């Protein structure tokens, strides 16, 4: 078991040091595909995008197929003064744990004919698009159970504990442009200041009021206008919005309010506001059968006293598109306590690496639980 732990931690370290951003996980895909092939999996890669699927076990006797998904992309963010690909959301850990599950299954060769496991190493989770692409390519076809895993901040789940399901909220992100004309700083009557339009949008976003019983938020996360000349009033700007809601219904209401604000600004200032990109993730659809299986797995590994209740979080994950597109899937995502701080997406995020083996063992027990029943 010590050899397995070292293998998992070494794999994590390699993946952490070789991070790649969404849709550019070329070397990561090759690295994982090679490991899957070397360990007896039938492997499928894709000519038009990154990501890899491996199948392990007995796919001849119509056993229920269990899929285990790991996201493989990193974020692009500033670290130590320069921008780089950075695994500050734990995807390097997720990959290492799922590969650890494969290696642990190999340590129990008697299980090989009793299981049918599909390993899904999915690209572009941070873009909210990878799961949809994998569904399109058949990654969850004929799958009965789908398990995922995600590291959790210490505020949500402490080291040595785990939650059998993460109830993510819905997420939507807009990138947009304000289009007008520049003017001389001495003649503000000759144009509309794009910065003032942006400020008005921020002000109106704060005035959106929806059902207070359902967590939700909307905020501007990026705004760029003007250039090197401070005597020019900018007529153009670009900005981004991030929206969160704990339910898909509230997200629809929030989205409608935001779009109405854009229309109001266009009419008030006579400017063009053009959406340049839209990304979104649906809120979680939970499944009690899958959650119950994961709960029992946590009990066996960490003990009953260390099983947390369902973890409700405003964060999002495109994992839930699998169940949106395939409602018959019995799916859940393991929330793993690991002393993660200062927080997810922080450029210097760290966690207790000993938690990696907790994740491996829990996923292994969940697999066994499926086939025992």
């Amino acid at each position: 078991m010590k050899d397995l732990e070292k293998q998992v931690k070494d794999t994590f370290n390699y993946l952490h040091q070789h991070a790649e951003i969404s849709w550019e996980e070329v070397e990561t895909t090759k690295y994982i595909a090679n490991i899957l092939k070397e360990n007896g999996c039938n492997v499928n890669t894709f000519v038009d995008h990154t990501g890899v699927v491996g199948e392990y076990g007995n796919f001849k006797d119509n056993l229920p197929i269990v899929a285990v998904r790991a996201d493989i992309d990193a974020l692009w963010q500033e670290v130590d003064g320069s921008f780089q690909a950075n695994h500050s959301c734990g995807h390097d850990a997720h990959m290492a744990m799922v590969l650890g599950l494969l290696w642990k299954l190999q340590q129990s060769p008697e299980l090989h004919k009793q299981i049918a496991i599909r390993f899904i190493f999915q690209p572009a989770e941070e873009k909210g698009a990878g799961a949809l692409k994998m569904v399109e390519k058949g990654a969850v076809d004929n799958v009965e159970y789908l398990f995922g895993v995600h590291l959790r901040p210490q505020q949500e789940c402490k080291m040595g504990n785990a939650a059998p399901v993460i109830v993510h909220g819905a997420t939507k992100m807009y990138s947009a442009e304000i289009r007008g004309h520049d003017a001389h700083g001495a003649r503000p009557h000759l144009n509309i200041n794009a910065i003032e339009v942006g400020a008005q949008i921020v002000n109106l976003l704060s005035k959106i009021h929806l059902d207070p019983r359902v967590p939700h938020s909307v905020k501007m996360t990026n705004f760029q206008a003007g250039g090197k000349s401070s005597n020019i009033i900018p007529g153009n700007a670009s900005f981004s919005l991030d929206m969160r809601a704990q339910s898909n219904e509230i997200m629809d209401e929030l989205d409608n309010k935001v779009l109405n604000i854009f229309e109001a600004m266009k009419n008030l200032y006579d400017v063009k506001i053009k959406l340049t990109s839209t990304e979104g993730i649906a809120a979680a659809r939970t499944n009690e059968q899958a959650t119950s299986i994961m709960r029992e797995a946590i009990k066996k590994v960490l003990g009953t006293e260390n099983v947390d209740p369902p973890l409700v979080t405003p964060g999002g994950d495109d994992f839930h598109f699998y169940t949106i597109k395939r409602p018959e899937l019995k799916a859940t995502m393991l929330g793993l306590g690991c002393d993660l701080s200062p927080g997810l997406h922080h450029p210097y995020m760290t966690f207790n690496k000993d938690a990696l083996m907790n994740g491996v063992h829990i996923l292994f027990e969940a697999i066994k639980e499926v086939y025992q029943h």
Side-chain angles (χ1 to χ4, degrees):
M1 199 61 69
K2 284 293 182 183
D3 290 341
L4 176 58
E5 182 175 358
K6 182 179 186 303
Q7 195 173 12
V8 170
K9 288 183 176 179
D10 287 348
T11 300
F12 164 80
N13 289 331
Y14 175 86
L15 291 166
H16 185 77
Q17 294 163 12
H18 296 81
E20 296 176 297
I21 61 174
S22 302
W23 297 126
E24 297 182 20
E25 314 95 327
V26 175
E27 296 304 318
T28 303
T29 296
K30 292 178 182 177
Y31 175 79
I32 294 171
N34 286 336
I35 291 176
L36 294 174
K37 290 174 184 175
E38 290 168 359
N39 288 274
C41 292
N42 293 321
V43 174
N44 183 31
T45 54
F46 309 94
V47 296
D48 57 339
H49 63 85
T50 48
V52 55
V53 175
E55 292 187 338
Y56 179 83
N58 179 5
F59 282 78
K60 297 179 180 179
D61 294 337
N62 295 318
L63 295 170
I65 298 173
V66 178
V68 185
R69 173 268 207 174
D71 29 20
I72 69 174
D73 56 329
L75 291 155
W76 184 255
Q77 64 184 156
E78 187 175 358
V79 184
D80 295 331
S82 62
F83 279 87
Q84 64 184 62
N86 186 38
H87 273 303
S88 59
C89 200
H91 296 185
D92 43 2
H94 306 163
M95 290 183 276
M97 285 186 280
V98 174
L99 289 171
L101 170 63
L102 169 61
W103 294 321
K104 186 172 173 64
L105 288 169
Q106 286 189 314
Q107 293 179 348
S108 302
E110 72 281 1
L111 293 178
H112 191 272
K113 291 185 178 181
Q114 304 170 25
I115 60 175
I117 310 301
R118 186 174 294 166
F119 296 100
I120 301 173
F121 290 90
Q122 176 214 299
E125 188 280 326
E126 297 295 351
K127 293 292 186 181
L132 291 170
K133 180 59 70 174
M134 297 302 265
V135 170
E136 177 188 320
K137 294 301 179 70
V140 289
D141 287 359
N142 303 314
V143 170
E144 185 167 344
Y145 290 91
L146 174 65
F147 297 137
V149 59
H150 207 301
L151 304 183
R152 302 317 303 166
Q154 58 185 0
Q155 301 91 337
E156 293 185 353
C157 188
K158 67 181 182 180
M159 176 66 185
N161 283 37
V165 60
I166 304 175
V167 187
H168 284 108
T171 302
K172 197 159 194 177
M173 292 162 283
Y174 281 144
S175 294
E177 294 177 346
I178 300 168
R179 306 302 299 173
H181 300 282
D182 292 349
H184 194 287
R187 299 174 179 82
H189 63 293
L190 295 182
N191 85 329
I192 299 298
N193 190 333
I195 296 174
E196 294 178 359
V197 177
Q200 186 74 293
I201 291 173
V202 171
N203 181 54
L204 290 173
L205 292 176
S206 70
K207 301 295 189 288
I208 294 176
H209 299 294
L210 302 175
D211 189 340
R213 297 170 299 175
V214 182
H216 60 274
S217 69
V218 56
K219 75 290 293 184
M220 189 173 287
T221 54
N222 177 283
F223 189 89
Q224 297 181 10
K228 294 183 178 181
S229 300
S230 58
N231 62 347
I232 293 176
I233 302 171
N236 300 312
S238 63
F239 65 92
S240 299
L241 298 185
D242 177 280
M243 294 181 278
R244 307 276 165 164
Q246 202 57 53
S247 73
N248 292 318
E249 293 74 20
I250 289 295
M251 175 56 76
D252 289 341
E253 291 185 41
L254 185 60
D255 186 37
N256 188 56
K257 295 280 189 182
V258 169
L259 294 177
N260 285 341
I261 288 173
F262 291 168
E263 285 299 316
M265 291 300 95
K266 288 192 284 186
N267 294 330
L268 179 62
Y269 290 106
D270 193 25
V271 295
K272 295 179 180 179
I273 299 179
K274 177 184 177 183
L275 293 178
T276 56
S277 73
T278 302
E279 300 171 358
I281 297 172
R285 286 185 176 180
T286 61
N287 179 272
E288 182 51 41
Q289 192 171 348
T291 301
S292 177
I293 287 170
M294 193 64 72
R295 186 180 295 113
E296 289 302 312
I298 298 170
K299 286 180 183 179
K300 290 180 180 179
V301 176
L302 302 179
T304 303
E305 69 279 8
N306 295 316
V307 180
D308 283 357
L311 199 163
V312 179
T313 173
D317 198 296
D318 79 346
F319 178 84
H320 308 296
F321 279 133
Y322 290 108
T323 52
I324 295 291
K325 294 296 183 180
R326 297 287 187 272
E328 69 278 7
L329 274 175
K330 303 179 182 75
T332 193
M333 178 176 279
L334 169 69
L336 189 66
C338 57
D339 281 342
L340 187 153
S341 67
L344 293 167
H345 289 206
H346 190 284
Y348 305 112
M349 182 275 278
T350 62
F351 68 98
N352 188 332
K353 308 306 182 295
D354 291 340
L356 291 169
M357 291 309 296
N358 288 346
V360 171
H361 297 321
I362 292 168
L363 291 172
F364 178 76
E365 292 298 330
I367 296 292
K368 288 173 59 180
E369 190 75 15
V370 169
Y371 290 100
Q372 285 172 358
H373 292 83

